[in-house]
Amino acid sequence: MLKNKVQLITYPDSLGGTLKDVSNFIDCYLADAIGGVHILPFYPSSADRGFAPLTHLEVAPEFGIWEDIRAISKDYDLVVDLTANHLSYLSEYFQDYLEKGNLSPYADMFLEVDKVLSRHRVELEAFADIYRPRPQLPYSTFNLWDGTTKRVWTTFTNHQVDLDVESVATRKVMKEFVDHLVSQDVNLIRLDAVGYSVKRPWTSCFLIPETYDFISWLRSVTPKSVDLLAEVHHAPATQTKMLESGAVEWVYDFSLPLLTLHALYSGSAENLKNWIGIRSPKMITTLDTHDGIGVIDVEGLMTPGEIAVTSAWVEQNGANQSLRASGTDVDNLDVYQLNSTYYSALGEDDDAYIAARTIQFFIPGIPQVYYVGLLAGCNDYEQLEKTKHGRDINRHNYSWPEILLAMDQEVVQRLLRLMRLRSNHPAFSGEFNLLPSSEEKLVLRWKSGKSYCEARVDLQKKEAVIEYIHTETGEVMIERV
């Protein structure tokens, strides 16, 4: 069972440069503030900051070794990624296919477009309704050893070759990946891009019934001691359906980030209160991740007008969606996300930022804090200009001198105090209640026995006050966060 504590999300090289640096950072600053660590892909990879893995059996040597991964798992819940939809075109599996064609033992792992069309006796227009995060065509052309070319499915980029997850060959490799990750004492496997993994004509090819069958198969080959987390950006009802299927134990609350931004922008808690009242507690709560701030995830929870004005506000605060409007050549701008750090999205307002984190930490679920958010990082326009990759605005790599400067910020110290309270106060193991309040306020209360912890957030004043029973003295404490 996962610890009911805050988790850190970080790349293996973003806090000092290596996995050992990540461990040192946690030991120095977070030992009493977190209960888990999500290490973003540390595998050898050809693109997308690790999400075009060559394999899941190795640690990229520039990051460290498996012992560095296991060292973190000794003291903290460990979350790792299984890229369920694709592998890198440079992987040994795909390269063997390019060298040997249909004679390769891995040939059936990959989705040749012509084979898929023939299998279903359709033309390419049968896939016109495919749901994708990019506007480009969903396939790429590759040259085989004999001079022939093949169109192969690539939902994301030409570095990321889609897998035929229904083939025997793919499932054999997938099980090998799962078994190896489990042997490293992981607690939670995040199924990256799993919603795109099965293709059928005349459908969206996104979370169709056959996709749920695949996820159920993954659950069947993963020990019950290891939980599964589905990474799905879609309407809130989709997350509920995913949990109800029983194939995963956890989903993300990707609705919360934009709902919270809207609440702080508008001064109204109405939409947030509605969501808190209907959402599942089996959610990983986030405000920021390595991806963008979800927009499609609030479908039905915010009106199109509310989404538009909130997005415009974030753009005015520097989100790179505004670069699209000015014609700047930035690749990989998402069709359903805003690219910004969360601190910058809030106008780099310390009080608004702490109010947002208070909301995140006090609603049911396990909260995760992205390393850039932990350090109150601002939009990295220099990195964005260098790479022309929209998401890199929120993926700054911190050197140790930068870490030391960031940790000295008052807003970071305020956030750390809040994280320690959330991770250690016994009230959070008890019962949650959303208490009545005026439209511009949220009152979130946890109670366990005689112990309680209550947050009162004033959205118009951007102020959060916490009242709680001190765990050692038994005194009633009232503090502005």
Side-chain angles (χ1 to χ4, degrees), residues 318 320 339-341 379-381 384 389-395:
N320 75 322
N339 294 140
S340 173
T341 76
N379 285 340
D380 190 342
Y381 298 111
L384 175 64
H389 191 296
R391 295 181 182 182
D392 282 347
I393 201 170
N394 186 33
R395 295 178 175 180

Side-chain angles (χ1 to χ4, degrees), residues 326-344:
S326 65
T328 303
D329 180 22
V330 177
D331 296 330
N332 267 339
L333 281 170
D334 299 292
V335 298
Y336 55 64
Q337 294 183 343
L338 294 162
N339 294 140
S340 173
T341 76
Y342 209 78
Y343 184 61
S344 287

Side-chain angles (χ1 to χ4, degrees), residues 66-129:
W66 282 112
E67 181 54 40
D68 299 324
I69 299 292
R70 290 192 295 272
I72 294 173
S73 73
K74 289 177 182 177
D75 296 312
Y76 304 96
D77 286 341
L78 179 63
V79 186
V80 300
D81 291 272
L82 176 68
T83 307
N85 178 72
H86 53 261
L87 287 174
S88 170
Y89 82 108
L90 291 179
S91 67
E92 64 174 295
Y93 313 99
F94 192 68
Q95 287 299 306
D96 193 81
Y97 160 73
L98 293 181
E99 291 175 11
K100 301 174 184 175
N102 289 333
L103 296 178
S104 169
Y106 307 120
D108 289 341
M109 287 180 64
F110 306 104
L111 289 163
E112 292 181 13
V113 172
D114 292 338
K115 277 187 179 181
V116 173
L117 299 181
S118 176
R119 180 188 305 170
H120 297 288
R121 299 180 182 180
V122 296
E123 299 297 325
L124 197 55
E125 62 261 23
F127 291 95
D129 293 332

Side-chain angles (χ1 to χ4, degrees), residues 234-278:
H234 209 257
T238 302
Q239 309 288 10
T240 301
K241 182 179 178 182
M242 182 72 66
L243 286 172
E244 290 175 346
S245 74
V248 298
E249 286 71 33
W250 298 92
V251 295
Y252 281 105
D253 186 350
F254 284 139
S255 303
L256 185 63
L258 202 69
L259 282 168
T260 302
L261 286 171
H262 173 260
L264 288 162
Y265 166 73
S266 68
S268 170
E270 183 178 354
N271 292 334
L272 255 179
K273 289 177 180 178
N274 172 62
W275 176 232
I276 293 170
I278 63 176

Side-chain angles (χ1 to χ4, degrees), residues 189-222:
I189 295 177
R190 176 183 182 271
L191 305 179
D192 177 71
V194 71
Y196 303 91
S197 57
V198 179
K199 283 74 175 175
R200 288 291 188 275
W202 313 114
T203 75
S204 66
C205 300
F206 184 81
L207 280 180
I208 57 180
E210 293 84 354
T211 313
Y212 285 91
D213 293 340
F214 170 55
I215 298 171
S216 294
W217 176 81
L218 285 170
R219 176 66 276 173
S220 73
V221 299
T222 305

